[in-house]
Structures are given as C-alpha cells and as structure tokens.
Amino acid sequence: LRAAQDEARQARQEEHNALRQLMDGLPMMIGVVGPDLHFELCNSAFETLGWTPPELEGVTVAEAFGPEAFGRAEPALLQALNGESAHVEVALRPPGASPRTYLLHATPRGGPKGLEGLFLAAVDISSPNLTLIFSSSATVASCFSTRSWFATAS
C-alpha cells in the first residue's frame, strides 16, 4: 500500500512539474486559484508583478493585485466561482514601473468534488500586438483539463 501511495505521489509531482513547464512557457500570467481566492499554483510570468511562484502560492488575489485592481477584478472572479467564465481589464503596477493594462480571464475550475476554484489568465494588453492572444474569449486557461494534476503534489 505504501509503495502505491509513493508511486501516486510521484506521478502527481511529475504532472505538477510538467504543468508548471507548460505554464512558464506561455506569454501571460496563469494561475490556479482556490475557492477562497488564494493562489494554489502560478507561472513565472507573475514575476513581472514582483512575485515568484513560491511566494505567490497561498497569497490571495487581493494581496497580489492590490485593492484597486482586485476591486475591479472581483466581480469576474466571483462569476467564475459561480460557474461562468468572465473577463475584465485591470490596471496592475509592476514594481518600479507605471501601471499596465491587463486583460484578465477567469474560468471555472471543476473537479471530482464539483467547483474547486478558477483558472486565471492575464495578458498585458498595453502593447497592441499582444491583444491578438485574447482576440476571442477562449483562452489557454479555459482549455486546460480539470484533471487531478491541478492539485498540488504533496
């Protein structure tokens, strides 16, 4: 039994690592957020805002974005937690820089226990050539499978 548990834990860790590699290769911030609006997993693109993935995991979206941006994003986040995708533009301020406009897309994250949180994707749309990534409401976050590999490996 112990060997099977270790094997399952190792498989989850490998899937977790593969997911992180995929997320880190994308030109946008990607986060997996729990129903309590705490980051469970995120990619290295959040370093733009001064957060490394280990620092951000466990932090609330409100803490990461700041009160003004969170106030603007909260209705979209709550809509995703109620089972419907939503998007909104928010101004986020990278450390030592002027605010940048991001298109934030929140998608419900289901699982074996029902709604388990949301996927969050944010792309800097301050640069006109990046808006093509979000030319439709279908985003990378909404294409992710909701398999158990979004659970943090323990």
Side-chain angles (χ1 to χ4, degrees), residues 10-151:
Q10 177 66 26
R12 280 193 312 274
Q13 184 62 47
E14 289 172 9
E15 289 177 340
H16 180 89
N17 293 341
L19 175 61
R20 186 175 300 283
Q21 284 181 322
L22 170 67
M23 290 170 55
D24 283 343
L26 297 172
M28 64 185 77
M29 290 184 272
I30 301 286
V32 178
V33 178
D36 57 357
L37 296 179
H38 282 78
F39 283 94
E40 296 176 1
L41 181 68
C42 66
N43 69 349
S44 61
F46 278 94
E47 291 173 6
T48 304
L49 299 179
W51 296 93
T52 64
E55 292 170 338
L56 190 59
E57 291 165 14
V59 170
T60 65
V61 176
E63 286 177 88
F65 287 2
E68 188 175 326
F70 178 72
R72 181 126 171 87
E74 187 176 25
L77 301 174
L78 294 176
Q79 186 173 336
L81 288 175
N82 284 314
E84 188 176 327
S85 293
H87 62 272
V88 64
E89 290 182 18
V90 296
L92 299 173
R93 182 184 297 274
S98 299
R100 309 278 302 170
T101 302
Y102 286 81
L103 181 60
L104 182 121
H105 188 87
T107 300
R109 176 170 62 105
K113 300 175 187 172
L115 195 61
E116 295 181 352
L118 58 95
F119 297 114
L120 189 66
V123 66
D124 183 346
I125 59 170
S126 302
S127 303
N129 53 345
L130 290 179
T131 59
L132 295 176
I133 295 172
F134 276 84
S135 60
S136 74
S137 62
T139 67
V140 172
S142 65
C143 296
F144 283 139
S145 166
T146 57
R147 290 184 13 196
S148 62
W149 44 283
F150 284 105

